[in-house]
Every structure is written in C-alpha cells, then in structure tokens.
Amino acid sequence: MSSGIWQRGEENEGVDGFLIEDIRKEVNRAARLMCNICRKKGASIGCVAPKCKRSYHFPCGLQKECVFQFMEDFRSYCWEHKPVQIFSDKESREPSQCTICLDLVEHLPLYSVLRSPCCKNTWFHRECLQYQALSAGIFFFRCAVCNNKDKFQKEMLRMGIHIPEKDASWELEDNAYQDLLQCYQHCDIRRCLCKNGRDYNKPDSKWEIKRCQSCGSRGTHLACSSIKSWEQNWECVECRSIFAKGKYSKRKKHSLAPSEKMDGTTCLLEEPSPKLPRQSPGSQRNCLLQSPKIICQNNLSPCSLLELPTSNRVAMSLSPLMSNRNCSLRKKHLRMQRKEASNILKELKQQINTKTTRLNINTENIWKSALKGFRQRNFRPTNTIEVKFTNCKNRVKTDSFTGSKHLFFHLLMLHIQNSSLFEGSSAKNLSVDPQALKENLYFEAGKMIAVSLVHGGPSPGFFSKILFDCLVYGPENVKPNLDDVADAGVAQTIKKIKYSESLSSLQSTVHDCYDFLAAAGCLRPITSLRDKDMLVNDLLIHHVIKRIISPLESFRQGLKTLGLLEKMEMHPDAFSSLFCHKPENLSAEALCDLFTIHSSTDVNKVGAADFWMGYLQDVESGESVVTLQDILFFVTGCSSIPPIGFDPEPTIKFLPVHYPIGNRLLNCLELPITRTYENFKNKMEFTIRNTLRGEKE
C-alpha cells in the first residue's frame, strides 16, 4: 500500500517482486513523512485524490475508516475522499438482516455498512463481508443472496474489501468432508431418558435416534423429545433458534379461521375448524356430565342423564351463537395444549427419585423461607419435596397432608408474580432490579417455577406474550410493540414520537425528550418524518428487551432446571397455555372427568353415580353452600388442578359410610350410599363445609 514503491521484479525476486533497493528507498522516504492521524513519522501511505496531502500508517488508516483498494495500483483514499455507495432517498430506511451474521443492519451511509450491487435491499456489515472474503477466497466469494460473482467482487474491491487469491479455507483442510461419510447417531437432548446411553439406537422403537431435519448434525431418541412416530419432524435447538424469527412472524400473520372472520373475535386455532352441529344451551349443559369415567366390577348400565327444564332453553340469535362457538373453540384448543404440556411434565417427572428433601416454610415470609430451602446444601431438584409449615399452631405431619406442598407452591407463585422481579398489570414482563440481579434472585425465581411445575405445583399464568417469546425464541427474534411497555410514562413518550404528524412536531418532541433518548442510547438525526418509525422501534427494543437482557438470561438459566426450558423451546404452544393463560375455572365437567368412579352393581341400582353428577351440577349452578373448589380441596388439598395432574389419580368409591371421607394421601373420595338425592346432598354439604371451616380455624 506504500505510495512510493512499485513491483518492478518478478514474483521470485526480492520480497514478492518488490526489490530490496526499492524497499530501502521507500523506508527512507517514509521516515520524513508524519502521519496525519497519530502525528508520528513513518507514514508511507498517501491519499491518491488530487491535491490531497494526507499521509498515514496502514493501521491508523483502518482506524480512521480510510479505504484501501486491493487491486490494480493498490490505491488508498483518506476519510474525506474515500469512495462511497449512492443511496436513493426513495429506498426504505428500515433496518434489515445481514445475510451473513443474521443480525440487524441499518440502511445508513456508514463505513461499516455495505449494500449489494446486484440484489436490491440486500445489506451487509463490512466486517462480515471481510471475514467471508478471507475464508472464501477469490474463487468462492460471491453474493450470499443471488450468487453473483463478477459484479459483486468488483464493487467490494472498490469499497476496500480484501479478497485473497487463494482457494477457500474449507477446501484446504485435510479430510474436511470425512464426517459426511458417517451417519450421526447420538442423542443431544440435555437430559437423555435412555438407560443404555446417548449412543444407543434401536430401530422401530422409542429408542430410535432421529436426526435434525434441517442440519442432520444433532439427534434425539424419539422418547426423549416426545416424538410419537418417525414421520414427525424434529429440529435441534440451534436450528430452531435460527428459524425462530420466521416462525414468529408467520404466527403473527396466520390467516383467520372462517368463524373468526364472521364476528371479529380472536380464535387461537390456525386451521379452520370443522362444522359442528348446533346445540341448545340446555343440551350443551346435559352433555357436560354425560360420560364420566366409571370402572365397574360388573357390567354397569349407562348413567341416566339429568334433564334440564324446557324453560332454560333460550332462543339465541346467530351472533351470540357464533360468539359462544368461538369461545368454546378457544377453550377446547387451550385444553388440548394444556393436555400436551401435562404429558411433557409427566415425562420430566420421571427424573424425581424417592429421596426426600424437607422444606420448613413460614407462610408469613414465604419468599425468604423458600429461598433458604432452595439454597440449602442438600437441596436437589430431583429429590421428592416435603413441606412443613413452621408457623402453624396445630401442626400436621407432612406425610399425612400432601396438600401442604401444593399450598406452598401456590403461595410461592403468588409471591413471585407480585414481587419486584416483574412489572406490569396482568400480563407481566421482567423488571430491572439491580439488587435482585446482584443476589441472583432472577435465577432462583426461574428455578422455583421449573421445580413447581415438575413437582405438581400450579402454572404461573401471568407471563406476557413478549416475555414468553423472548424465553423460547430468543430476544433477538422478537419484535415488541407499544402494548409491551409496562411503564406508563415511557409508553406516553413513545406515543408522542409515534403519532407526530409533521417533521417540525417530530423534531420538537425529540428535542424535548433529548435526555430520555440519550439515556436509552437512541439518539439519531431526524431528517424526515419516516425516521420516527426507526426511532420508535429502537426505543421499544431498548425498553422492552435490551434493558432486561441481564435479568432475562439469569431467569432463563433458572428455567433450565430439570430440563424445563428445553421442553418449552421444543413445544412453545403447549407451554404458552401454562405461562401466559390463567388456569381454566373449575367446572362440573372437569371434576366429572377428573375422578374415576369405582362402583358395583348394587351401587348402580340406587343411582349413586347419578347423585354424584347431579350434585356437581347443583354446585356449579350455585344451588349449594359449597363450591367446586371446596370439593377438590376436600379430596386433594388443592383448590385447582395442577398442570401435571394428580398422583395418584383421584378416585371415587361408594361405601357403606355415614358421611363423605376425603383421603388426601390416595386422592380418594369415599361417598355414602343413600336412597334419596336430598339425603346425599345434605351429607355432602355438612361434611365439606365443616371440615374446611375447621381447617381454616
């Protein structure tokens, strides 16, 4: 690059054709020239622009963003006379993705940004292009989008990209493609369930290894990733993170189902639902209790249906019918997702061993005592957890009150939801608490949520969609909107910028918010009204995502406990129903499906099963002094159904007892055999009401 030396010899003469005497003359010449950048002598490179007297060292020139052309005469241009690419005012200024590193690149006339000469709206980072050129060499360096070589190389050489005259680096490695001759056979799931090891592969079984459909360089046993058949597609975590942005955008833009287009309500189903027969409200209610799970010792006749009076059958207009139908479709879809998540949690629960860890919990300071228990030396997430409340006057043995663990996790989730770790009203995002970050509390909160879900605790249900997407897709693949800003003041400021109607009002707003923009690192020149969109996008990314990067990463590490986060990344839709949606309210149908009835022929003759279903229907309609939650708590010690379900599964037995008995160790409800429904109902209400009242006292 030195200005006063030429390659006068052959390639084998001197130093690559530069004669020794010429090199000495150039050293003497440069010793008298001072660098215009570092102010030291030895500046052998000069700008070739006419009348420009600037000289500089090669490293100084790179630092000052000079352009060196590695072609023809090896010209050099200073920072004022360097060649630039022409940008049209009509071109979009929205940031796009660099096709090499996949990070965002701004459409600005900067030294660090280069535009493809052959593909419209294709932009690169200069550093990415230089790395690619050094690796690919002159034979393989080309446009990453259209594969154009001649036009692309000519423009990149003009803009100072060095393309070495050599073969590609991957072509020079010995046995570089040897791995392609071998079939990958290894399970890469974080917690492999196969007892025979990660390399065990048994075709046509659940221990057959399936490779990633995108890269083929990662594998999993079918059972380890809940893959039901070989035909089901599977992608590794690395490929899923690359394609996450496309999938995320696709999910945002999926077409509406026909039922969704008719009345404008949101439907969670991506595919149009099949037509369903229209039912009256009465018939729908009757169907709720039509098919409970009944295991009979002898052949048991079908349970008789409880008819509703015809006065309850109300004529409905078409619009309410469609609205109810959409609501039922959404609920049905959520139930399917929760069922899928439940099955995955049951697989994760297989890690839990019989060794127990006792947690002494003070309900008056649930967080402090839980933190102490989780941080104790002998705590292992894979151990069975026993909970003992230390501030109860009438203490009960932990092993005789399994509901204490469910109550502990319920209180803990409530505390985490309302703690300083989160911000927002109902759908919450992570906040920035420096003290909590210093004490690693975000990690502990993520760990507690993972342990709670796998050990049978309640679902969080308070995450915002943007927080959940950042966890499973990565923050770099998520685009926030104004509704995701929790701080009302910040949201109002961004609104002022977003809804500016003229350039003068936009510039005035930016001037008023100078300190606010400077603190967010979002200061940028405003030359047109279109610049506000990029500014708003920068502010949203900063306040919703970049600001919480440290808490988010710590929280993600906590969620990795017991392999939960990995399953969330593999099944985002299923776990979204647990993290972003409140648990479904208990219904008579849900309780009826939850309990398995053990009965006999004699019991069936007196209609005991009918009494039980009729009682659930009365409780749901408000014709009882107890609630469905009271019934569930009476039997299991839980006021709601945990995502993972109950272990053992709840059962009902009709026995010759005087009053109902709730066995919480076995989750078994023992019901008396009565001849009339009124007698059955009175005994149920008397026992449940007085038992729960006594426990509360």
Side-chain angles (χ1 to χ4, degrees), residues 321-380:
L321 273 175
M322 295 304 299
S323 179
N324 289 340
R325 179 177 170 184
N326 287 333
C327 183
S328 65
L329 286 174
R330 289 195 296 271
K331 289 182 178 180
K332 181 179 179 182
H333 187 59
L334 276 176
R335 286 194 204 106
M336 293 171 59
Q337 290 179 333
R338 290 188 176 117
K339 186 175 180 180
E340 181 184 356
S342 176
N343 293 332
I344 297 170
L345 290 175
K346 288 176 182 176
E347 291 180 7
L348 292 177
K349 193 178 180 182
Q350 295 178 7
Q351 307 170 71
I352 310 303
N353 54 50
T354 56
K355 187 177 180 179
T356 60
T357 297
R358 171 170 290 188
L359 301 180
N360 295 317
I361 301 299
N362 186 336
T363 55
E364 295 178 357
N365 198 337
I366 190 78
W367 174 253
K368 186 176 181 180
S369 55
L371 197 60
K372 182 179 179 181
F374 273 70
R375 285 179 171 177
Q376 63 185 352
R377 183 176 298 178
N378 64 339
F379 179 81
R380 297 290 184 274

Side-chain angles (χ1 to χ4, degrees), residues 255-300:
S255 58
L256 302 178
S259 58
E260 191 175 344
K261 296 176 182 177
M262 293 188 69
D263 65 350
T265 58
T266 304
C267 180
L268 296 178
L269 292 176
E270 293 192 9
E271 296 294 331
S273 59
K275 294 185 178 180
L276 301 175
R278 184 180 302 176
Q279 295 177 327
S280 66
S283 63
Q284 290 178 358
R285 188 177 180 187
N286 286 339
C287 290
L288 289 179
L289 307 177
Q290 185 172 353
S291 56
K293 297 182 292 182
I294 301 179
I295 301 177
C296 302
Q297 296 173 0
N298 300 315
N299 293 330
L300 182 64

Side-chain angles (χ1 to χ4, degrees), residues 219-488:
T220 175
H221 289 113
L222 298 183
C224 295
S225 296
S226 307
I227 302 177
K228 297 179 180 179
S229 66
W230 177 260
E231 289 76 16
Q232 187 175 344
N233 291 329
W234 178 79
E235 286 180 344
C236 63
V237 176
E238 290 84 353
C239 293
R240 197 179 305 113
S241 64
I242 294 174
F243 294 119
K245 185 167 185 177
K247 293 181 180 179
Y248 179 79
S249 303
K250 186 177 180 181
R251 185 176 290 105
K252 291 286 186 181
K253 300 176 182 178
H254 75 271
S255 58
L256 302 178
S259 58
E260 191 175 344
K261 296 176 182 177
M262 293 188 69
D263 65 350
T265 58
T266 304
C267 180
L268 296 178
L269 292 176
E270 293 192 9
E271 296 294 331
S273 59
K275 294 185 178 180
L276 301 175
R278 184 180 302 176
Q279 295 177 327
S280 66
S283 63
Q284 290 178 358
R285 188 177 180 187
N286 286 339
C287 290
L288 289 179
L289 307 177
Q290 185 172 353
S291 56
K293 297 182 292 182
I294 301 179
I295 301 177
C296 302
Q297 296 173 0
N298 300 315
N299 293 330
L300 182 64
S301 61
C303 301
S304 59
L305 299 178
L306 299 175
E307 292 288 311
L308 283 178
T310 54
S311 59
N312 286 354
R313 297 171 186 166
V314 183
M316 300 174 67
S317 63
L318 178 61
S319 181
L321 273 175
M322 295 304 299
S323 179
N324 289 340
R325 179 177 170 184
N326 287 333
C327 183
S328 65
L329 286 174
R330 289 195 296 271
K331 289 182 178 180
K332 181 179 179 182
H333 187 59
L334 276 176
R335 286 194 204 106
M336 293 171 59
Q337 290 179 333
R338 290 188 176 117
K339 186 175 180 180
E340 181 184 356
S342 176
N343 293 332
I344 297 170
L345 290 175
K346 288 176 182 176
E347 291 180 7
L348 292 177
K349 193 178 180 182
Q350 295 178 7
Q351 307 170 71
I352 310 303
N353 54 50
T354 56
K355 187 177 180 179
T356 60
T357 297
R358 171 170 290 188
L359 301 180
N360 295 317
I361 301 299
N362 186 336
T363 55
E364 295 178 357
N365 198 337
I366 190 78
W367 174 253
K368 186 176 181 180
S369 55
L371 197 60
K372 182 179 179 181
F374 273 70
R375 285 179 171 177
Q376 63 185 352
R377 183 176 298 178
N378 64 339
F379 179 81
R380 297 290 184 274
T382 53
N383 290 353
T384 300
I385 294 178
E386 290 184 356
V387 175
K388 185 175 182 180
F389 293 108
T390 59
N391 60 326
C392 297
K393 294 181 180 180
N394 300 320
R395 296 181 183 176
V396 292
K397 291 184 179 180
T398 307
D399 57 356
S400 64
F401 183 40
T402 56
S404 60
K405 182 171 69 173
H406 299 285
L407 177 60
F408 160 64
F409 283 130
H410 174 71
L411 296 175
L412 183 60
M413 289 303 105
L414 285 178
H415 178 88
I416 292 176
Q417 177 180 353
N418 299 314
S419 69
S420 61
L421 304 179
F422 293 87
E423 62 183 8
S425 53
S426 55
K428 294 179 178 288
N429 197 6
L430 286 174
S431 63
V432 181
D433 188 336
Q435 186 63 28
L437 199 58
K438 182 179 179 181
E439 297 176 7
N440 207 23
L441 297 186
Y442 290 98
F443 170 83
E444 298 294 346
K447 180 179 178 180
M448 290 175 183
I449 291 175
V451 171
S452 171
L453 284 172
V454 178
H455 282 263
S459 57
F462 62 86
F463 282 37
S464 65
K465 191 66 170 64
I466 194 75
L467 172 57
F468 182 81
D469 288 339
C470 284
L471 291 172
V472 298
Y473 299 117
E476 68 279 2
N477 297 317
V478 177
K479 186 175 182 179
N481 55 50
L482 200 53
D483 296 332
D484 298 320
V485 180
D487 191 305

Side-chain angles (χ1 to χ4, degrees), residues 506-672:
L506 176 60
Q507 292 174 335
S508 175
T509 304
V510 170
H511 181 269
D512 295 339
C513 305
Y514 181 87
D515 294 337
F516 169 77
L517 296 174
C522 297
L523 283 175
R524 62 169 58 247
I526 303 298
T527 57
S528 68
L529 192 60
R530 291 181 299 178
D531 292 337
K532 69 177 181 179
D533 297 330
M534 192 178 298
L535 182 58
V536 167
N537 184 60
D538 290 346
L539 287 170
L540 289 175
I541 291 177
H542 170 78
H543 281 281
V544 179
I545 296 178
K546 286 185 177 179
R547 190 173 59 96
I548 64 162
I549 284 296
S550 295
L552 181 69
E553 183 56 33
S554 181
F555 190 65
R556 290 183 85 252
Q557 293 300 321
L559 283 175
K560 289 181 179 180
T561 305
L562 295 172
L564 180 68
L565 181 62
E566 187 175 9
K567 293 295 184 183
M568 290 170 58
E569 292 172 340
M570 294 170 61
H571 308 275
D573 292 335
F575 281 94
S576 173
S577 64
L578 303 184
F579 282 82
C580 302
H581 298 274
K582 290 291 183 183
E584 187 178 5
N585 293 331
L586 275 180
S587 63
E589 179 188 15
L591 274 188
C592 191
D593 290 339
L594 180 66
F595 286 91
T596 300
I597 300 177
H598 293 269
S599 62
S600 63
T601 305
D602 295 336
V603 172
N604 185 51
K605 288 181 179 178
V606 297
D610 290 345
F611 290 167
W612 162 248
M613 292 185 291
Y615 180 65
L616 290 180
Q617 195 171 24
D618 284 349
V619 173
E620 185 178 41
S621 60
E623 299 174 7
S624 173
V625 294
V626 301
T627 63
L628 296 174
Q629 287 80 5
D630 293 338
I631 298 174
L632 184 63
F633 192 83
F634 176 74
V635 183
T636 65
C638 300
S639 56
S640 61
I641 303 175
I644 201 172
F646 291 101
D647 185 21
E649 293 187 359
T651 57
I652 290 177
K653 292 182 180 179
F654 292 96
L655 301 173
V657 293
H658 293 289
Y659 292 95
I661 299 174
N663 188 336
R664 291 175 179 172
L665 270 178
L666 302 176
N667 292 330
C668 179
L669 176 59
E670 299 176 0
L671 296 178

Side-chain angles (χ1 to χ4, degrees), residues 136-267:
I138 195 168
F139 301 109
F140 290 92
F141 182 61
R142 60 194 66 197
C143 177
V145 177
C146 69
N147 270 344
N148 182 284
K149 181 179 176 181
D150 296 335
K151 188 176 181 181
F152 186 77
Q153 285 193 7
K154 183 178 179 180
E155 175 66 7
M156 294 304 112
L157 287 170
R158 185 181 76 89
M159 295 305 298
I161 298 298
H162 175 40
I163 310 174
E165 294 184 9
K166 66 168 189 176
D167 209 345
S169 58
W170 57 83
E171 296 286 347
L172 301 176
E173 296 180 19
D174 293 334
N175 298 322
Y177 304 103
Q178 190 67 26
D179 292 341
L180 297 181
L181 304 178
Q182 300 176 3
C183 186
Y184 191 82
Q185 299 289 351
H186 184 79
C187 179
D188 296 291
I189 298 300
R190 185 180 296 275
R191 283 176 173 80
C192 179
L193 304 177
C194 183
K195 296 181 180 180
N196 295 323
R198 293 182 177 271
D199 294 325
Y200 181 73
N201 179 37
K202 184 178 180 181
D204 300 326
S205 72
K206 65 179 181 180
W207 302 121
E208 183 174 4
I209 291 181
K210 183 176 181 64
R211 290 175 293 279
C212 173
Q213 65 170 348
S214 298
C215 68
S217 60
R218 291 290 183 272
T220 175
H221 289 113
L222 298 183
C224 295
S225 296
S226 307
I227 302 177
K228 297 179 180 179
S229 66
W230 177 260
E231 289 76 16
Q232 187 175 344
N233 291 329
W234 178 79
E235 286 180 344
C236 63
V237 176
E238 290 84 353
C239 293
R240 197 179 305 113
S241 64
I242 294 174
F243 294 119
K245 185 167 185 177
K247 293 181 180 179
Y248 179 79
S249 303
K250 186 177 180 181
R251 185 176 290 105
K252 291 286 186 181
K253 300 176 182 178
H254 75 271
S255 58
L256 302 178
S259 58
E260 191 175 344
K261 296 176 182 177
M262 293 188 69
D263 65 350
T265 58
T266 304
C267 180

